Amino acid sequence: MDEILERSHFLKQALVDFVLDAEGELAQALETFAAQQLRRGSGDNTQQDLTIDSFLTEGKVGNESPLDLFIASHPDLQESDRNLLKTWHHSFIGLFAISQIFTDGLELLNWLTNKSYLVKPNNSQTLQATSRLKVGEILLTRISPVTNNYWTFTGPFTMMGKLGKPKLAVAIGNFKETYKNHLYSDAPDLLEAAWDSVYQYHQYFIDFFGSDEITLPGYKLNKELAAFQELITNKRLEELGIDKIKYLAELTATGAQEEIQTVIDEMGIDPKVASQILKNESGKTKMVTPKIDLPAELKNAAQLTAISHPRWGQTFLPTYSKFQSLLLTKDWQSIEGAEKLVRHYLEDKSISAFIWYRLAKQYSNSLEKVLQTVLQRPNFDINSDLDTLLQEFNKPLEPYLPESASVPVHLHELFQEAVAEVHKSKPKGKGQKQVNKGFK
């Protein structure tokens, strides 16, 4: 085992001990961070270890991470140790497929970003555990860089075995839900493209519906959304110049470079688009817009409100009009189910902080009075206390990447193939539960 690899194990143990033995602000920060993380996970030992590992680089005490505090509190560290520790800010959790097995490590493919890593265990216990693994199996784990050429496991891994496409799609969906801020940790270009797509989708929404909010009967809004998504597809094909792309992709396959450049010049193809095509002979873009598929209860809603935001994405609420009416009614307590509706908006995790901010902006005074009554907090102030209240009900104050964000082509294709397999295996004349997790 390389000396630096052994050293990484020693430093990791010292760092964990530093955090677990700490008191004061650092201990309080760990407690808060762990509580937030464990609400989203299973709470088993592996989950707890991953939470501590995440805290080392993602936790904050003031403006510094625990890793920064450890380095600052050990001025006698060797320069090589200091440099190694600083690279751990690039550590991340991923869902990996085992591509190859070596005597001293594994080649892992991060399914979220399609990037490969050579990962070597830095202690005998982990090395023994990896000896039982097989090519094609899926691992949930966190890795950290050791050198420019290889990484190491920062802690235990969850072995998920070999998964067929439907189960893999479900596993990716679960990862997406549990580790929202680790979707594209090792691919900032994909993350940027995904966020850009959310903004663009919002602009398309406003252009099509004429507003960032629309309320229609569920069945009618579902039809409008189908037309909206068709318009998005046509717009993007038009923007890319799909006929030119097809022709250029055909030329790319022939390898006739001079002719390709002539076509680019004569047809006025955007250089960025041309470059993307030349790198990808199929002419596919790197990201794909997922299809919005409303569940039956929303399609059948008497009134369904769709609200769009450039960062929070789209929210579909069958009771938004009722909530608005409640806030416009002076004697709101006389409305049947009023208090239950308010509590539903607080407790339902699908109703984000964005919706509460929107209501607070439009109905500030009435919302404040309603919350004072429902929560029995007569001194509740909508301006100063709303954020605290939302956090109390586990609502993130900043958005995670929403469902409308474009996804990498390989994930889109995986989910399409998973759905096809489920339908193919479905007995004729009998219903079967559909794959309902993953990237749609």
Side-chain angles (χ1 to χ4, degrees), residues 119-385:
V119 183
K120 298 182 179 183
N122 63 8
N123 62 85
S124 58
Q125 183 179 355
T126 306
L127 184 60
Q128 184 178 3
T130 58
S131 68
R132 297 189 292 269
L133 300 175
K134 297 176 182 178
V135 170
E137 290 184 322
I138 304 297
L139 300 179
L140 170 66
T141 191
R142 185 179 178 90
I143 62 175
S144 296
V146 179
T147 70
N148 292 332
N149 299 319
Y150 68 85
W151 297 55
T152 191
F153 297 99
T154 66
F157 53 79
T158 299
M159 185 172 66
M160 306 178 74
K162 292 184 179 181
L163 302 179
K165 290 176 181 176
K167 288 186 177 180
L168 180 57
V170 170
I172 290 174
N174 290 336
F175 182 94
K176 179 173 178 281
E177 180 65 27
T178 305
Y179 303 103
K180 296 176 185 291
N181 57 332
H182 282 279
L183 285 184
Y184 309 123
S185 296
D186 59 332
D189 57 328
L190 290 182
L191 185 61
E192 182 180 4
W195 278 114
D196 286 346
S197 74
V198 176
Y199 174 80
Q200 186 61 66
Y201 198 100
H202 171 71
Q203 295 302 314
Y204 286 146
F205 187 100
I206 292 177
D207 290 345
F208 183 85
F209 291 107
S211 171
D212 64 353
E213 179 182 323
I214 182 171
T215 300
L216 292 170
Y219 78 92
K220 191 170 184 179
L221 182 55
N222 190 55
K223 290 182 179 179
E224 290 292 310
L225 286 172
F228 167 57
Q229 290 178 102
E230 183 178 352
L231 176 69
I232 288 179
T233 300
N234 292 336
K235 271 181 173 288
R236 291 189 171 174
L237 294 180
E238 183 181 331
E239 289 169 0
L240 290 172
I242 191 63
D243 292 334
K244 299 175 184 179
I245 285 177
K246 287 179 178 178
Y247 184 41
L248 185 55
E250 290 171 3
L251 286 177
T252 302
T254 69
Q257 295 299 322
E258 291 184 7
E259 190 174 354
I260 290 172
Q261 190 57 51
T262 300
V263 171
I264 292 173
D265 295 337
E266 290 181 354
M267 300 184 75
I269 300 176
D270 187 299
K272 292 182 180 179
V273 174
S275 175
Q276 186 178 39
I277 298 165
L278 294 174
K279 291 178 182 176
N280 183 356
E281 292 181 6
S282 68
K284 293 178 182 176
T285 53
K286 188 167 50 178
M287 308 288 279
V288 177
T289 303
K291 179 183 177 183
I292 295 178
D293 190 13
L294 295 180
E297 62 268 22
L298 295 186
K299 292 178 184 177
N300 297 328
Q303 293 291 311
L304 181 61
T305 300
I307 304 173
S308 182
H309 186 274
R311 294 279 294 174
W312 291 91
Q314 288 68 47
T315 303
F316 299 92
L317 297 170
T319 55
Y320 194 72
S321 295
K322 186 175 181 179
F323 203 116
Q324 288 176 306
S325 297
L326 181 155
L327 295 174
L328 289 171
T329 303
K330 188 174 183 180
D331 185 20
W332 63 270
Q333 289 175 283
S334 64
I335 299 175
E336 184 180 355
E339 183 170 332
K340 183 179 179 181
L341 180 61
V342 175
R343 290 195 176 279
H344 169 71
Y345 268 59
L346 284 170
E347 295 167 0
D348 191 329
K349 66 178 183 179
S350 69
I351 300 175
S352 67
F354 157 60
I355 296 301
W356 281 95
Y357 292 148
R358 189 179 182 90
L359 291 169
K361 184 177 180 180
Q362 296 174 342
Y363 310 98
S364 178
N365 292 334
S366 56
L367 182 59
E368 181 178 81
K369 292 176 182 177
V370 166
L371 289 173
Q372 286 174 347
T373 301
V374 171
L375 300 174
Q376 297 181 6
R377 301 180 188 180
N379 296 322
F380 179 84
D381 186 296
I382 196 71
N383 295 314
S384 61
D385 299 335

Side-chain angles (χ1 to χ4, degrees), residues 390-405:
L390 296 176
Q391 289 177 311
E392 181 183 329
F393 283 90
N394 304 322
K395 295 187 183 295
L397 303 184
E398 294 294 330
Y400 291 110
L401 201 58
E403 293 292 332
S404 60

Side-chain angles (χ1 to χ4, degrees), residues 109-110 367:
L109 175 74
N110 183 5
L367 182 59

Side-chain angles (χ1 to χ4, degrees), residues 14-15 34 54 59 74 97 171 175 194 271 414-415 427 432:
L15 176 57
S54 298
H74 292 77
F175 182 94
L414 165 68
F415 194 74
Q432 184 166 324

